[in-house]
Amino acid sequence: MPSTPTGTPEPGRSPVARRTVLGAMAAGAAAPGLLALSSPASASPTGTTSSAAEAAASVPRSRSARRQAPLPGGGDLGPNVIVFGPSTPGIQARLDQVFKQQESAQFGTGRYAFLFKPGTYNGLNAQLGFYTSIAGLGLSPDDTTINGDVTVDAGWFNGNATQNFWRSAENLALSPVSGTNRWAVAQAAPFRRMHVKGGLNLAPDGYGWASGGYIADSRIDGSVGPYSQQQWYTRDSSVGGWVNAVWNMVFSGVQGAPAQSFPNPPYTTLATTPVSREKPFLYLSGSDYRVFLPEKRVNARGTTWGNGTPRGTSLPLGQFYVARPGVSAATLNAALAQGLHLLLTPGIYHLDRPIEVNRAGTVVLGLGYATLIPDNGVTALRTADVDGIRLAGFLVDAGPVNSRTLLEIGPAGASADHSANPTTVQDVFVRIGGAGAGRATTSMVVNSRHTIVDHTWVWRADHGTGVGWETNRADYGIRVNGDDVLATGLFVEHFNKYDVQWYGQRGRTIFFQNEKAYDAPNQAAIQNGSVKGYAAYKVGDAVTTHEGWGLGSYCYYNVDPTIVQHHGFAAPNRPGVKFHDLLVVSLGGNGQYEHVVNDTGAPTSGTSTVPSTVVSYP
């Protein structure tokens, strides 16, 4: 297992180097690992476009007209959903064309989804750049086989994979050309419902720095080699082996996972996931598109698709309003009020009012990183306190006018029991700044009980445009007010105050990755009363029951390296509030932690990027 860093952070590195430094501690081990992967794309269904629906919706009504004409369901998926069949010509050329455009477009406006009809595809290498998703259209990953690769590498960033965000692979079987597929990603890059008939290498070519990542409902027949990956969460999957660990590797419900051994090596392993429900996905039934809704599992282990037809229900595309960029929030809300679900095709959606999801069982599914931008300080999306809402696969990008909240799951005071049919929030990512000035007081608020937040990255940008301590001000990342909420794969970074605040009872988090805000100008700017700095993860003083596994917080105060952070985690000291496998890390000595949780745990050690750990608290 690699144990030495691949590089050493330099004091005063610019914020744009933040991921560079974060990777500096990633162990670089030479090992076999091969390149790229492949995928095809290029056809679309026919039907009424949402732009036509928008036009129809905007026709003025006469005084006697009491009701707007119904909005159509289904329709064309638009120009940025590129659909391939096994006989489609020019698949590799189309993949390469989009990759060339998206490879380094970290804050660009392009958004793409490649969809592969069931069948076999030979000799492809689908390299994925920013805001690019690839997926099969079968009910099982094995329905769509690529004899080739689906590759993420880091040539665009000189072999540094720590900024390989916002891309995804889903529902495909891969037979890698070299026997090993390369998936060198960082945050917001899920690998879901995949079958790799070989190994999986999570490091870039050359084994440079990497900071990921997330796998769910997948089977990797060979070994997974994280190599330089600093942290990783794998859920409800099967692996043929796991090669090494750097700081924080967490597994729940994974067949073949390494045994519990934190902190040496830093493996946190739960035999099962307490509650899970896989992300909805688009598939083809004959020539018709449908959306499959996997059922909830309790104490889950292994994939959902290995033994026969997956369990769940499906909806025809005709029950979805197929939204296209440029559609108004009023039209989206009219579609929801009419009883339709939402399918957000790739692109950017400006909102002058919140999307209101009020009906039980509503699905809001994004393709190709559809992006919601709230204008004039509104909330992007909020839900009612009802059963079974599913939000999945989109990005919320804060606007230049401060939003009090960006995403609200349930109204304040929500109290209904949703244990039988919870709301799920999956691959929903939030960004404040980076693509331009953005501001929000609290990014995500979870009020509804039993909500499952399954893989999110809530990020106050530390690089890009519109970035500065006050420029992209965002005090709080996630606030959980609801009881019985479960987070599986929680990535929250760089907020001006608390990154996570948890006030609900019986909350649980499996895997947490955090960096404190790099750009704090001085100690006074982060002072929290008499406490030095705001904890990354704060459990409310009134909470009596809470539990977390595999939680890590890192600091890199590069503007003022003398800043001291009292602890990464703060919680009531009572028996019902439990933590397992905690760590804090000072990246190259830029800032220091005095403790890990409350007043427990050793301080970080000078300029050496070595985690300080607590195995069990209290």
Side-chain angles (χ1 to χ4, degrees), residues 185-538:
V185 298
Q187 287 75 8
F191 196 81
R192 285 186 182 270
R193 202 177 172 75
M194 296 288 287
H195 182 190
V196 181
K197 299 176 181 180
L200 187 64
N201 185 339
L202 304 179
D205 186 29
Y207 299 92
W209 303 334
S211 174
Y214 176 90
I215 293 171
D217 200 24
S218 294
R219 180 189 301 160
I220 292 86
D221 293 345
S223 289
V224 178
Y227 304 113
S228 54
Q229 283 286 357
Q230 293 141 355
Q231 66 278 316
W232 199 277
Y233 175 51
T234 307
R235 179 181 63 70
D236 299 354
S237 294
S238 173
V239 299
W242 195 271
V243 171
N244 73 292
V246 176
W247 291 340
N248 191 31
M249 300 287 162
V250 180
F251 308 84
S252 67
V254 178
Q255 296 165 340
Q260 168 72 33
S261 59
F262 189 92
N264 187 27
Y267 293 137
T268 298
T269 302
L270 287 74
T272 62
T273 304
V275 186
S276 62
R277 189 173 66 192
E278 298 304 329
K279 178 177 176 256
F281 62 91
L282 195 67
Y283 75 103
L284 277 173
S285 177
S287 60
D288 297 325
Y289 285 111
R290 299 181 69 88
V291 173
F292 192 79
L293 308 177
E295 72 173 14
K296 187 187 77 170
R297 296 199 291 169
V298 177
N299 296 324
R301 182 171 174 83
T303 66
T304 63
W305 49 268
N307 298 299
T309 303
R311 298 177 64 89
T313 58
S314 70
L315 300 169
L317 191 63
Q319 292 184 19
F320 285 77
Y321 178 70
V322 180
R324 302 273 286 274
V327 71
S328 70
T331 297
L332 296 174
N333 284 331
L336 290 167
Q338 186 180 305
L340 294 172
H341 306 274
L342 294 183
L343 185 73
L344 304 173
T345 64
I348 295 173
Y349 298 75
H350 281 271
L351 307 173
D352 63 354
R353 67 196 71 180
I355 298 172
E356 304 277 2
V357 184
N358 296 323
R359 190 181 72 257
T362 299
V363 179
V364 179
L365 176 62
L367 300 179
Y369 286 87
T371 301
L372 308 178
I373 301 180
D375 295 329
N376 303 318
V378 302
T379 298
L381 184 149
R382 58 193 182 202
T383 72
D385 191 24
V386 296
D387 272 0
I389 290 171
R390 304 186 196 221
L391 308 178
F394 57 88
L395 172 64
V396 178
D397 207 354
V401 177
N402 186 74
S403 292
R404 183 181 62 85
T405 60
L406 294 172
L407 182 64
E408 295 181 11
I409 309 303
S415 60
D417 186 320
H418 303 297
S419 56
N421 192 6
T423 286
T424 48
V425 182
Q426 299 177 285
D427 301 346
V428 173
F429 308 117
V430 178
R431 179 174 68 194
I432 302 95
R439 296 170 67 90
T441 304
T442 304
S443 293
M444 183 188 301
V445 179
V446 181
N447 293 315
S448 286
R449 292 181 62 195
H450 301 101
T451 297
I452 300 172
V453 179
D454 177 44
H455 190 225
T456 189
W457 185 38
V458 181
W459 185 56
R460 175 181 168 265
D462 61 282
H463 63 273
T465 60
V467 170
W469 184 249
E470 296 295 345
T471 306
N472 62 329
R473 182 84 192 187
D475 282 352
Y476 308 109
I478 293 182
R479 178 182 297 141
V480 179
N481 297 319
D483 294 341
D484 307 292
V485 170
L486 171 65
T488 51
L490 189 60
F491 299 75
V492 189
E493 298 187 300
H494 305 152
F495 286 86
N496 294 78
K497 293 184 178 178
Y498 290 119
D499 298 277
V500 173
Q501 302 169 89
W502 206 300
Y503 298 115
Q505 298 288 356
R506 297 175 300 281
R508 292 174 291 183
T509 296
I510 304 173
F511 182 89
F512 172 67
Q513 188 263 327
N514 165 263
E515 295 173 4
K516 296 302 300 173
Y518 289 3
D519 54 346
N522 49 49
Q523 187 76 43
I526 65 159
Q527 194 69 15
N528 180 16
S530 62
V531 179
K532 299 172 187 174
Y534 290 81
Y537 189 106
K538 162 70 173 176

Side-chain angles (χ1 to χ4, degrees), residues 510-577:
I510 304 173
F511 182 89
F512 172 67
Q513 188 263 327
N514 165 263
E515 295 173 4
K516 296 302 300 173
Y518 289 3
D519 54 346
N522 49 49
Q523 187 76 43
I526 65 159
Q527 194 69 15
N528 180 16
S530 62
V531 179
K532 299 172 187 174
Y534 290 81
Y537 189 106
K538 162 70 173 176
V539 179
D541 294 343
V543 172
T544 57
T545 307
H546 187 90
E547 196 158 11
W549 296 262
L551 315 184
S553 177
Y554 320 150
C555 75
Y556 177 61
Y557 288 116
N558 66 321
V559 175
D560 181 359
T562 68
I563 288 175
V564 174
Q565 179 84 23
H566 183 72
H567 46 217
F569 303 90
N573 187 1
R574 52 176 61 107
V577 179

